[in-house]
Amino acid sequence: GEREADTATLYVYRPSDAEADFSVPMRREGSGRYVAELVFPLKGIWDVIASVQDGEQEHNLPRRVDDRPLPLEPALEQRMVDE
């Protein structure tokens, strides 16, 4: 049968300022769907990597975000809050 992934984390990198990097845990919503609540503290360009650790397997889904809400993947939803 289907088993749960061990952990899912959203890593957020600021190309212009490594000190602004952070990560947030993702929660599972249904089969293969993970959601993270995410607020970008600064305007501009961010690199986002959704990492799902499933036993020995690690799946990474990278995206570049330019201060706009963009779909990470059909199975991953990104909720951005504009301050």
Side-chain angles (χ1 to χ4, degrees):
E2 187 177 334
R3 54 182 292 277
E4 303 272 319
D6 296 335
T7 57
T9 306
L10 197 63
Y11 296 97
V12 185
Y13 301 98
R14 177 83 170 174
S16 62
D17 182 8
E19 291 187 5
D21 295 354
F22 65 98
S23 66
V24 292
M26 303 182 78
R27 71 177 183 275
R28 185 182 174 105
E29 286 193 351
S31 177
R33 181 179 177 87
Y34 299 90
V35 175
E37 302 293 339
L38 175 60
V39 176
F40 291 106
L42 300 166
K43 297 284 184 186
I45 303 226
W46 295 86
D47 287 321
V48 178
I49 300 177
S51 177
V52 179
Q53 190 81 35
D54 185 7
E56 299 296 309
Q57 297 281 325
E58 183 175 339
H59 308 280
N60 291 308
L61 301 169
R63 289 288 182 274
R64 171 153 284 189
V65 177
D66 188 2
D67 202 39
R68 296 186 300 269
L70 298 174
L72 282 171
E73 198 72 27
L76 289 167
E77 180 181 354
Q78 179 185 32
R79 296 177 183 160
M80 294 179 58
V81 178
D82 198 7
E83 301 271 308

